[in-house]
Coordinates of all heavy atoms in Angstrom, one line a residue:
P64 N 12.4 -7.6 2.2 CA 13.2 -8.1 1.1 C 14.5 -7.3 0.8 O 15.4 -7.8 0.2 CB 12.3 -8.0 -0.1 CG 11.1 -7.3 0.3 CD 11.1 -7.3 1.8
T65 N 14.6 -6.1 1.4 CA 15.8 -5.3 1.3 C 16.7 -5.4 2.5 O 17.7 -4.8 2.5 CB 15.4 -3.8 1.1 OG1 14.7 -3.4 2.2 CG2 14.5 -3.6 -0.2
D66 N 16.3 -6.2 3.4 CA 17.1 -6.3 4.7 C 18.4 -7.1 4.5 O 18.4 -8.2 4.0 CB 16.3 -7.0 5.8 CG 16.9 -6.9 7.1 OD1 17.7 -5.9 7.4 OD2 16.6 -7.8 8.0
G67 N 19.5 -6.5 4.9 CA 20.8 -7.2 4.9 C 21.6 -7.3 3.6 O 22.8 -7.5 3.7
H68 N 20.9 -7.1 2.5 CA 21.7 -7.1 1.3 C 21.1 -6.2 0.3 O 19.9 -5.8 0.4 CB 21.8 -8.5 0.7 CG 20.5 -9.2 0.5 ND1 19.5 -8.7 -0.2 CD2 20.1 -10.4 0.9 CE1 18.5 -9.5 -0.2 NE2 18.8 -10.6 0.5
K69 N 21.9 -5.8 -0.7 CA 21.4 -4.8 -1.6 C 21.1 -5.3 -3.0 O 20.9 -4.6 -3.9 CB 22.4 -3.6 -1.7 CG 22.7 -2.9 -0.4 CD 21.5 -2.0 0.0 CE 21.8 -1.3 1.2 NZ 20.8 -1.3 2.2
G70 N 21.1 -6.6 -3.1 CA 21.0 -7.2 -4.5 C 19.6 -7.8 -4.7 O 18.6 -7.1 -4.8
F71 N 19.5 -9.1 -4.8 CA 18.3 -9.8 -5.1 C 17.2 -9.5 -4.2 O 17.4 -9.4 -3.0 CB 18.6 -11.3 -5.2 CG 17.3 -12.1 -5.5 CD1 16.9 -12.2 -6.7 CD2 16.6 -12.7 -4.4 CE1 15.7 -12.9 -7.0 CE2 15.5 -13.4 -4.7 CZ 15.0 -13.5 -6.0
G72 N 16.0 -9.3 -4.7 CA 14.9 -9.1 -3.8 C 14.4 -7.7 -3.6 O 13.3 -7.4 -3.2
I73 N 15.3 -6.7 -4.0 CA 14.8 -5.3 -3.8 C 13.7 -5.0 -4.8 O 13.8 -5.4 -6.0 CB 16.0 -4.4 -4.1 CG1 17.0 -4.5 -2.9 CG2 15.6 -2.9 -4.2 CD1 18.2 -3.7 -3.0
G74 N 12.6 -4.5 -4.3 CA 11.5 -4.1 -5.2 C 10.6 -5.3 -5.5 O 9.8 -5.3 -6.4
S75 N 10.8 -6.4 -4.7 CA 9.9 -7.6 -4.9 C 8.8 -7.5 -3.9 O 9.0 -7.1 -2.8 CB 10.7 -8.9 -4.7 OG 11.7 -9.0 -5.7
L76 N 7.7 -8.0 -4.3 CA 6.6 -8.2 -3.3 C 7.1 -9.3 -2.3 O 7.5 -10.3 -2.7 CB 5.3 -8.6 -3.9 CG 4.6 -7.5 -4.7 CD1 3.4 -8.0 -5.5 CD2 4.2 -6.3 -3.8
S77 N 6.9 -9.0 -1.0 CA 7.3 -10.0 0.0 C 6.4 -11.2 -0.1 O 5.2 -11.1 0.0 CB 7.3 -9.3 1.4 OG 7.4 -10.3 2.4
L78 N 7.0 -12.4 -0.2 CA 6.2 -13.6 -0.1 C 5.8 -14.0 1.3 O 5.1 -14.9 1.5 CB 7.0 -14.7 -0.8 CG 7.2 -14.6 -2.3 CD1 8.0 -15.7 -2.8 CD2 5.8 -14.6 -3.0
E79 N 6.4 -13.2 2.3 CA 6.1 -13.5 3.7 C 4.7 -13.1 4.1 O 4.0 -13.7 4.8 CB 7.1 -12.9 4.6 CG 8.5 -13.5 4.5 CD 8.5 -14.9 5.1 OE1 7.7 -15.2 6.0 OE2 9.3 -15.7 4.6
N80 N 4.3 -11.9 3.6 CA 3.1 -11.3 4.1 C 2.5 -10.2 3.3 O 2.0 -10.4 2.2 CB 3.3 -10.9 5.6 CG 2.1 -11.0 6.4 OD1 1.0 -10.9 5.9 ND2 2.2 -11.3 7.7
V81 N 2.7 -9.0 3.8 CA 2.0 -7.8 3.1 C 3.1 -6.9 2.6 O 4.1 -6.7 3.3 CB 1.0 -7.2 4.0 CG1 1.7 -6.6 5.3 CG2 0.2 -6.1 3.3
S82 N 2.9 -6.3 1.5 CA 3.8 -5.3 0.9 C 3.0 -4.0 0.5 O 2.0 -4.2 -0.1 CB 4.5 -5.9 -0.3 OG 5.3 -7.0 0.1
P83 N 3.6 -2.9 0.7 CA 2.9 -1.6 0.3 C 3.4 -1.3 -1.2 O 4.5 -1.3 -1.5 CB 3.4 -0.6 1.3 CG 4.7 -1.1 1.8 CD 4.7 -2.6 1.6
V84 N 2.4 -1.0 -2.0 CA 2.6 -0.5 -3.3 C 2.0 0.9 -3.4 O 0.9 1.1 -3.0 CB 1.9 -1.4 -4.4 CG1 2.0 -0.9 -5.8 CG2 2.5 -2.8 -4.3
I85 N 2.8 1.8 -3.9 CA 2.3 3.2 -4.0 C 2.1 3.5 -5.5 O 3.0 3.3 -6.3 CB 3.3 4.2 -3.4 CG1 3.3 4.0 -1.9 CG2 2.9 5.7 -3.7 CD1 3.9 5.0 -1.0
I86 N 0.9 4.0 -5.8 CA 0.6 4.4 -7.2 C 0.6 5.9 -7.3 O -0.1 6.6 -6.6 CB -0.9 3.9 -7.5 CG1 -0.9 2.4 -7.5 CG2 -1.3 4.5 -8.9 CD1 -2.3 1.8 -7.8
D87 N 1.5 6.4 -8.2 CA 1.5 7.8 -8.6 C 0.6 7.9 -9.8 O 1.0 7.6 -10.9 CB 3.0 8.2 -8.9 CG 3.1 9.7 -9.2 OD1 2.2 10.3 -9.8 OD2 4.2 10.2 -9.0
V88 N -0.6 8.5 -9.5 CA -1.6 8.5 -10.6 C -1.2 9.3 -11.8 O -1.3 8.9 -12.9 CB -2.9 9.0 -10.0 CG1 -4.0 9.0 -11.0 CG2 -3.4 8.2 -8.8
E89 N -0.6 10.5 -11.5 CA -0.2 11.4 -12.6 C 0.9 10.9 -13.5 O 1.0 11.1 -14.7 CB 0.1 12.8 -12.1 CG -1.1 13.6 -11.5 CD -0.7 14.9 -11.0 OE1 0.5 15.3 -11.0 OE2 -1.6 15.6 -10.5
E90 N 1.8 10.1 -12.8 CA 2.9 9.5 -13.6 C 2.6 8.2 -14.2 O 3.5 7.6 -14.8 CB 4.2 9.5 -12.6 CG 4.6 10.8 -12.1 CD 5.2 11.7 -13.1 OE1 5.8 11.3 -14.1 OE2 5.0 13.0 -13.0
D91 N 1.5 7.6 -13.9 CA 1.1 6.3 -14.3 C 2.1 5.2 -13.9 O 2.5 4.3 -14.6 CB 1.0 6.2 -15.9 CG -0.2 6.9 -16.4 OD1 -1.3 6.8 -15.7 OD2 -0.1 7.6 -17.4
I92 N 2.5 5.3 -12.6 CA 3.6 4.4 -12.1 C 3.1 3.8 -10.8 O 2.5 4.5 -9.9 CB 4.9 5.2 -11.8 CG1 5.5 5.7 -13.0 CG2 5.9 4.3 -11.0 CD1 6.7 6.7 -12.8
A93 N 3.4 2.5 -10.6 CA 3.1 1.8 -9.4 C 4.5 1.2 -9.0 O 5.2 0.7 -9.8 CB 2.1 0.7 -9.5
R94 N 4.9 1.4 -7.7 CA 6.1 0.8 -7.2 C 6.0 0.4 -5.8 O 5.2 0.9 -5.0 CB 7.3 1.9 -7.4 CG 7.1 3.1 -6.5 CD 8.2 4.1 -6.8 NE 7.8 5.4 -6.2 CZ 7.1 6.3 -6.8 NH1 6.6 6.1 -8.0 NH2 6.8 7.5 -6.2
I95 N 6.8 -0.6 -5.4 CA 6.8 -1.1 -4.1 C 7.7 -0.2 -3.3 O 8.8 0.2 -3.6 CB 7.4 -2.5 -4.1 CG1 6.5 -3.5 -4.9 CG2 7.6 -3.0 -2.6 CD1 7.2 -4.7 -5.3
E96 N 7.1 0.3 -2.1 CA 7.9 1.2 -1.2 C 7.7 0.6 0.2 O 6.8 0.9 0.9 CB 7.4 2.6 -1.3 CG 7.7 3.3 -2.6 CD 7.6 4.8 -2.5 OE1 7.8 5.4 -1.4 OE2 7.2 5.4 -3.5
I97 N 8.7 -0.2 0.5 CA 8.7 -0.9 1.8 C 8.6 0.1 3.0 O 8.0 -0.2 4.0 CB 9.9 -1.9 2.0 CG1 9.8 -3.0 1.0 CG2 10.0 -2.4 3.4 CD1 8.6 -3.9 1.1
G98 N 9.2 1.3 2.8 CA 9.1 2.3 3.9 C 7.7 2.7 4.3 O 7.5 3.2 5.4
A99 N 6.7 2.4 3.4 CA 5.3 2.8 3.7 C 4.8 1.9 4.8 O 3.8 2.3 5.4 CB 4.5 2.6 2.5
M100 N 5.5 0.8 5.1 CA 5.0 0.0 6.2 C 5.0 0.8 7.5 O 4.2 0.5 8.4 CB 6.0 -1.2 6.4 CG 5.9 -2.2 5.3 SD 4.3 -3.0 5.1 CE 4.2 -4.0 6.6
H101 N 5.9 1.7 7.6 CA 6.0 2.6 8.8 C 5.8 4.0 8.5 O 6.4 4.9 9.1 CB 7.4 2.4 9.5 CG 7.6 0.9 9.7 ND1 7.0 0.2 10.7 CD2 8.4 0.0 9.1 CE1 7.4 -1.0 10.7 NE2 8.3 -1.2 9.7
A102 N 5.0 4.3 7.4 CA 4.7 5.7 6.9 C 6.0 6.5 6.7 O 6.1 7.6 6.9 CB 3.8 6.4 7.9
R103 N 7.0 5.8 6.1 CA 8.3 6.4 5.8 C 8.8 6.1 4.4 O 9.9 5.9 4.1 CB 9.4 5.9 6.8 CG 9.2 6.4 8.2 CD 10.4 6.2 9.0 NE 10.3 6.7 10.4 CZ 9.9 5.9 11.4 NH1 9.7 4.7 11.2 NH2 9.8 6.5 12.6
S104 N 7.8 6.1 3.5 CA 8.2 5.8 2.1 C 8.8 7.1 1.5 O 8.6 8.2 2.1 CB 6.9 5.5 1.3 OG 6.0 6.6 1.2
D105 N 9.4 7.0 0.4 CA 10.0 8.2 -0.3 C 8.9 9.2 -0.6 O 9.1 10.4 -0.5 CB 10.7 7.8 -1.6 CG 12.0 7.0 -1.3 OD1 12.5 7.1 -0.2 OD2 12.5 6.4 -2.3
T106 N 7.7 8.7 -0.9 CA 6.6 9.6 -1.3 C 6.2 10.4 0.0 O 5.8 11.5 -0.1 CB 5.4 8.7 -1.8 OG1 5.9 7.9 -2.9 CG2 4.2 9.6 -2.2
E107 N 6.2 9.8 1.1 CA 5.7 10.4 2.4 C 6.8 11.2 3.1 O 6.5 12.1 3.9 CB 5.2 9.3 3.3 CG 4.0 8.5 2.8 CD 3.8 7.3 3.5 OE1 4.6 6.4 3.5 OE2 2.7 7.2 4.2
R108 N 8.1 11.0 2.8 CA 9.1 11.6 3.5 C 9.1 13.1 3.4 O 9.0 13.6 2.3 CB 10.5 11.1 3.0 CG 11.6 11.3 4.0 CD 12.8 10.5 3.7 NE 12.6 9.1 4.1 CZ 12.9 8.0 3.4 NH1 13.5 8.1 2.3 NH2 12.7 6.8 3.9
G109 N 9.2 13.8 4.5 CA 9.3 15.3 4.5 C 7.9 16.0 4.4 O 7.9 17.2 4.2
I110 N 6.9 15.2 4.5 CA 5.5 15.7 4.4 C 4.8 15.7 5.7 O 4.9 14.6 6.4 CB 4.7 14.9 3.3 CG1 5.4 14.9 1.9 CG2 3.3 15.4 3.2 CD1 5.5 16.3 1.3
K111 N 4.2 16.7 6.1 CA 3.3 16.7 7.3 C 1.9 16.4 6.8 O 1.3 17.1 6.1 CB 3.3 18.1 8.0 CG 2.5 18.1 9.2 CD 2.5 19.5 9.9 CE 1.6 19.6 11.1 NZ 1.1 18.5 11.8
F112 N 1.4 15.2 7.3 CA 0.1 14.8 6.9 C -1.0 15.3 7.9 O -0.7 15.3 9.1 CB 0.0 13.3 6.8 CG 0.7 12.8 5.5 CD1 2.0 12.4 5.6 CD2 0.0 12.7 4.4 CE1 2.6 11.9 4.4 CE2 0.6 12.2 3.2 CZ 1.9 11.8 3.2
T113 N -2.1 15.7 7.3 CA -3.3 16.0 8.2 C -4.5 15.3 7.6 O -4.4 14.7 6.5 CB -3.5 17.5 8.1 OG1 -4.0 17.9 6.8 CG2 -2.3 18.3 8.5
T114 N -5.6 15.4 8.3 CA -6.8 14.8 7.9 C -7.7 15.8 7.2 O -8.9 15.5 6.9 CB -7.6 14.2 9.1 OG1 -7.8 15.2 10.0 CG2 -6.8 13.0 9.7
N115 N -7.2 17.0 6.9 CA -7.9 18.0 6.2 C -7.4 18.1 4.8 O -6.3 18.5 4.5 CB -7.6 19.4 7.0 CG -8.4 20.5 6.4 OD1 -9.0 20.4 5.3 ND2 -8.4 21.6 7.0
R116 N -8.3 17.8 3.8 CA -7.9 17.9 2.4 C -7.4 19.2 2.0 O -6.6 19.3 1.1 CB -9.1 17.5 1.6 CG -9.4 16.0 1.5 CD -10.6 15.8 0.6 NE -11.0 14.4 0.6 CZ -10.5 13.5 -0.1 NH1 -9.5 13.8 -0.9 NH2 -10.9 12.2 -0.1
E117 N -8.0 20.3 2.5 CA -7.6 21.7 2.1 C -6.1 21.9 2.4 O -5.5 22.7 1.7 CB -8.5 22.7 2.8 CG -9.9 22.6 2.4 CD -10.8 23.5 3.2 OE1 -10.4 24.3 4.0 OE2 -12.1 23.3 3.1
D118 N -5.5 21.3 3.4 CA -4.1 21.5 3.7 C -3.2 21.2 2.5 O -2.1 21.7 2.3 CB -3.7 20.7 4.9 CG -4.3 21.3 6.2 OD1 -4.9 22.4 6.2 OD2 -4.2 20.6 7.2
S119 N -3.6 20.2 1.7 CA -2.7 19.7 0.6 C -3.3 20.0 -0.7 O -3.0 19.4 -1.7 CB -2.6 18.2 0.8 OG -3.8 17.5 0.7
E120 N -4.2 21.0 -0.8 CA -4.9 21.4 -2.0 C -3.9 21.6 -3.1 O -2.8 22.3 -2.9 CB -5.7 22.6 -1.8 CG -6.8 22.8 -2.8 CD -7.8 23.9 -2.4 OE1 -8.1 24.0 -1.2 OE2 -8.2 24.6 -3.3
G121 N -4.2 21.2 -4.3 CA -3.2 21.3 -5.4 C -2.2 20.3 -5.5 O -1.3 20.3 -6.4
G122 N -2.2 19.3 -4.6 CA -1.2 18.2 -4.5 C -1.5 17.1 -5.5 O -2.5 17.1 -6.1
K123 N -0.6 16.2 -5.5 CA -0.7 15.0 -6.4 C -1.4 13.9 -5.7 O -1.2 13.6 -4.6 CB 0.7 14.5 -6.8 CG 1.4 15.3 -7.8 CD 2.8 14.8 -8.1 CE 2.7 13.5 -8.8 NZ 4.0 13.0 -9.3
P124 N -2.3 13.2 -6.5 CA -3.0 12.1 -5.9 C -2.2 10.8 -6.0 O -1.5 10.6 -6.9 CB -4.3 11.9 -6.9 CG -3.8 12.5 -8.2 CD -2.8 13.6 -7.8
Y125 N -2.3 10.0 -4.9 CA -1.6 8.8 -4.8 C -2.6 7.8 -4.2 O -3.5 8.1 -3.5 CB -0.4 8.8 -3.9 CG 0.8 9.6 -4.4 CD1 0.9 11.0 -4.1 CD2 1.8 9.1 -5.1 CE1 1.9 11.8 -4.5 CE2 2.9 9.8 -5.5 CZ 2.9 11.2 -5.3 OH 4.0 11.9 -5.7
W126 N -2.3 6.5 -4.4 CA -2.9 5.4 -3.7 C -1.8 4.6 -3.0 O -0.8 4.3 -3.6 CB -3.7 4.5 -4.6 CG -4.9 5.1 -5.2 CD1 -5.0 5.7 -6.5 CD2 -6.2 5.2 -4.7 NE1 -6.2 6.2 -6.7 CE2 -7.0 5.9 -5.6 CE3 -6.8 4.8 -3.5 CZ2 -8.4 6.1 -5.3 CZ3 -8.1 5.0 -3.2 CH2 -8.9 5.7 -4.2
L127 N -2.1 4.2 -1.8 CA -1.3 3.3 -1.1 C -2.1 2.0 -1.1 O -3.2 1.9 -0.6 CB -1.0 3.7 0.4 CG -0.3 2.7 1.3 CD1 1.0 2.1 0.7 CD2 -0.1 3.3 2.6
V128 N -1.5 0.9 -1.7 CA -2.2 -0.3 -1.9 C -1.4 -1.4 -1.1 O -0.2 -1.6 -1.3 CB -2.3 -0.7 -3.4 CG1 -3.1 -2.0 -3.5 CG2 -2.9 0.4 -4.2
W129 N -2.1 -2.1 -0.2 CA -1.6 -3.2 0.6 C -1.8 -4.5 -0.2 O -2.9 -4.8 -0.4 CB -2.2 -3.2 2.0 CG -2.0 -2.0 2.8 CD1 -3.0 -1.0 3.1 CD2 -0.8 -1.5 3.4 NE1 -2.4 0.0 3.8 CE2 -1.1 -0.3 4.0 CE3 0.5 -2.0 3.4 CZ2 -0.2 0.5 4.7 CZ3 1.4 -1.3 4.2 CH2 1.1 -0.1 4.8
V130 N -0.7 -5.1 -0.5 CA -0.8 -6.4 -1.3 C -0.3 -7.5 -0.4 O 0.8 -7.6 0.0 CB 0.0 -6.3 -2.6 CG1 -0.1 -7.6 -3.3 CG2 -0.4 -5.2 -3.5
T131 N -1.2 -8.5 -0.1 CA -0.9 -9.7 0.7 C -0.8 -10.9 -0.3 O -1.8 -11.1 -1.1 CB -1.9 -9.9 1.8 OG1 -1.9 -8.7 2.6 CG2 -1.6 -11.1 2.6
I132 N 0.2 -11.6 -0.1 CA 0.4 -12.8 -0.9 C 0.2 -14.1 -0.1 O 0.7 -14.1 1.1 CB 1.8 -12.8 -1.6 CG1 1.8 -11.7 -2.6 CG2 2.1 -14.2 -2.3 CD1 3.2 -11.4 -3.2
D133 N -0.6 -15.0 -0.6 CA -0.8 -16.3 0.2 C -0.6 -17.4 -0.8 O -0.3 -17.2 -2.0 CB -2.2 -16.3 0.7 CG -2.3 -17.3 1.9 OD1 -1.3 -18.0 2.2 OD2 -3.4 -17.3 2.5
Y134 N -0.7 -18.6 -0.4 CA -0.4 -19.8 -1.2 C -1.7 -20.7 -1.3 O -2.4 -20.9 -0.3 CB 0.7 -20.6 -0.6 CG 2.0 -20.0 -0.6 CD1 2.4 -19.1 0.4 CD2 2.9 -20.2 -1.7 CE1 3.6 -18.5 0.3 CE2 4.1 -19.5 -1.8 CZ 4.5 -18.7 -0.8 OH 5.7 -18.1 -0.8

Side-chain angles (χ1 to χ4, degrees):
T65 61
D66 190 27
H68 53 55
K69 300 286 185 231
F71 178 78
I73 291 179
S75 297
L76 289 172
S77 169
L78 291 175
E79 289 293 327
N80 211 330
V81 63
S82 298
V84 174
I85 293 190
I86 296 175
D87 182 329
V88 181
E89 290 179 2
E90 300 293 326
D91 289 320
I92 295 172
R94 65 185 166 274
I95 297 162
E96 289 196 35
I97 294 297
M100 293 298 294
H101 307 287
R103 291 194 179 96
S104 67
D105 290 342
T106 304
E107 298 163 293
R108 201 167 280 137
I110 302 296
K111 178 178 175 25
F112 284 94
T113 68
T114 57
N115 183 351
R116 282 183 185 275
E117 293 170 13
D118 291 346
S119 60
E120 201 170 322
K123 285 179 66 173
Y125 291 90
W126 290 95
L127 169 56
V128 182
W129 300 107
V130 179
T131 301
I132 294 171
D133 202 353
Y134 292 87

